[in-house]
């Protein structure tokens, strides 16, 4: 592999480059090699709430670590504030890694950050990450597609942006694809399930909720769709959590060996 400096854009280091790096779903070992390499070299790392602190250990010992995310009980920065901060850091001429949970472009507002940085003339490079919607079900042995069972999958948000209409036609999506993977859906789980059932979804459709996937704190419930919300409440499943609806959930028994492989020995607490 070429050394990092030969792979950087030619203007890197002049006005600063911001690397939007996907941190993966939780376990730092699921960060890409390129992400890890950039993290080791960055002078500033701006990370969000989904990034496990264990992953930050991959950063340079002298790097400035800046938390910019949403955590319960703390005042959260707004997206324009985050954008401004990234622009200011880029202008300072430093090498900046903006570390975001999962993949920066999957419900990660990475697009907004790239747009703001580009408008300000700051070079910006996106390094994809392993998204929670694929890796978290896999860690439990649930494949999001499976030949003969699921030939299509939809990744949808359960949380429309503030003031925006719900972008998901819940009653339709259950007929349009075989597997539905829902991000940010726990607080609206009852409404989402009701809308799916109203749309004609089979109440017996296998479904799962998996929280803190790929970490030692992973918790899950598996239940038929109609009973999912009750099961989640009874077990007090925390967030962040991924919801999976579809026959693939029932395939899990077949893939439990893979699930063990996906969780390395050094899993996080
Ligand atoms: N960009 C991220 C998603 C950000 S939206 C990605 O590609 O994965 C935040 C949502 O992601 C959470 O509400 C939850 O639904 C999901 N999520 C992220 N990490 C998770 C994890 N370790 N376990 C379960 N769900 C997770």
């Amino acid at each position: 592999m070429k050394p990092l400096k030969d792979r950087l854009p030619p203007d890197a280091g002049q006005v600063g480059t911001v690397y939007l790096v996907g941190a993966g779903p939780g376990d730092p070992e699921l960060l890409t090699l390129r992400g890890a390499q950039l993290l080791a070299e960055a002078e500033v790392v701006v990370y969000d709430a989904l990034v496990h602190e264990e992953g930050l250990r991959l950063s340079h010992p002298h790097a400035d670590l800046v938390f910019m995310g949403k955590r319960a009980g703390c005042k959260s920065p707004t997206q324009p504030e985050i954008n401004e901060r990234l622009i200011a850091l880029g202008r300072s001429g430093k090498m900046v890694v903006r570390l975001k949970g999962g993949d920066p472009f999957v419900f990660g507002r990475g697009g907004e950050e790239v747009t703001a940085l580009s408008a300000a003339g700051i070079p910006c490079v996106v390094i994809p990450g392993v998204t929670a919607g694929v890796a978290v079900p896999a860690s439990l042995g649930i494949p999001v597609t499976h030949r003969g069972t699921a030939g299509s999958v939809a990744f949808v948000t359960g949380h429309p942006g503030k003031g925006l209409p719900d972008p998901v036609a819940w009653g339709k999506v259950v007929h349009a694809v075989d597997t539905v993977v829902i991000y940010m859906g726990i607080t609206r789980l009852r409404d989402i399930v009701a809308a799916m059932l109203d749309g004609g979804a089979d109440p017996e459709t296998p479904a799962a909720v998996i929280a803190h996937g790929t970490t030692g704190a992973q918790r899950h419930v598996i239940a038929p769709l109609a009973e999912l919300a009750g099961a989640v409440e009874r077990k007090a499943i925390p967030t962040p959590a991924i919801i999976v609806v579809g026959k693939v959930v029932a395939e899990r028994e077949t893939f439990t060996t893979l699930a063990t492989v996906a969780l390395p020995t050094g899993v996080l607490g």
Side-chain angles (χ1 to χ4, degrees):
M1 206 194 285
K2 278 198 272 174
L4 179 71
K5 64 175 173 39
D6 297 340
R7 288 187 281 127
L8 297 178
D11 51 354
Q14 288 172 23
V15 283
T17 297
V18 177
Y19 294 87
L20 246 70
V21 176
D27 183 341
E29 291 189 7
L30 296 175
L31 175 74
T32 63
L33 289 175
R34 193 178 298 178
Q37 201 169 2
L38 288 163
L39 199 50
E41 301 195 7
E43 296 171 273
V44 187
V45 178
V46 183
Y47 62 101
D48 76 14
L50 284 173
V51 173
H52 201 286
E53 55 196 42
E54 193 76 21
L56 294 172
R57 291 212 193 136
L58 297 169
S59 56
H60 193 281
H62 300 306
D64 284 339
L65 303 181
V66 181
F67 173 67
M68 285 218 113
K70 297 180 198 314
R71 268 191 195 144
C74 309
K75 191 186 171 293
S76 310
T78 63
Q79 192 61 46
E81 282 165 355
I82 296 172
N83 296 347
E84 281 312 310
R85 185 72 177 266
L86 293 177
I87 290 168
L89 286 167
R91 286 208 173 115
S92 72
K94 292 193 168 148
M95 178 184 166
V96 182
V97 161
R98 166 63 168 148
L99 192 61
K100 299 175 78 74
D103 182 277
F105 278 176
V106 180
F107 304 125
R109 308 195 70 169
E112 288 158 76
E113 294 176 10
V114 170
T115 307
L117 287 161
S118 309
I122 310 288
C124 177
V125 179
V126 178
I127 314 296
V130 176
T131 190
V134 174
V136 169
S139 73
L140 205 65
I142 300 171
V144 292
T145 72
H146 184 50
R147 197 172 161 86
T149 305
S152 56
V153 55
F155 297 100
V156 299
T157 173
H159 184 77
K162 235 187 202 158
L164 297 175
D166 191 339
V168 183
W170 297 102
K172 288 190 181 150
V173 77
V174 285
H175 301 294
V177 296
D178 298 315
T179 308
V180 184
V181 176
I182 306 161
Y183 292 69
M184 296 176 279
I186 293 301
T187 51
R188 288 183 60 225
L189 184 58
R190 275 197 181 276
D191 292 346
I192 290 170
V193 169
M196 286 178 157
L197 295 174
D198 280 353
D202 180 351
E204 293 298 318
T205 309
V209 170
I210 310 138
H212 293 293
T214 77
T215 77
Q218 180 158 326
R219 308 253 327 263
H220 73 270
V221 289
I222 297 199
L225 181 60
E227 292 163 34
L228 190 64
V232 165
E233 285 160 15
R234 268 195 307 283
K235 280 187 95 176
I237 296 295
T239 58
I242 281 284
I243 304 161
V244 190
V245 178
K247 286 194 185 127
V248 285
V249 173
E251 299 284 343
R252 164 176 133 73
E253 304 299 314
T254 324
F255 297 103
T256 39
T257 333
L258 280 187
T260 346
V261 173
L263 279 173
T265 45
V267 287
L268 306 168

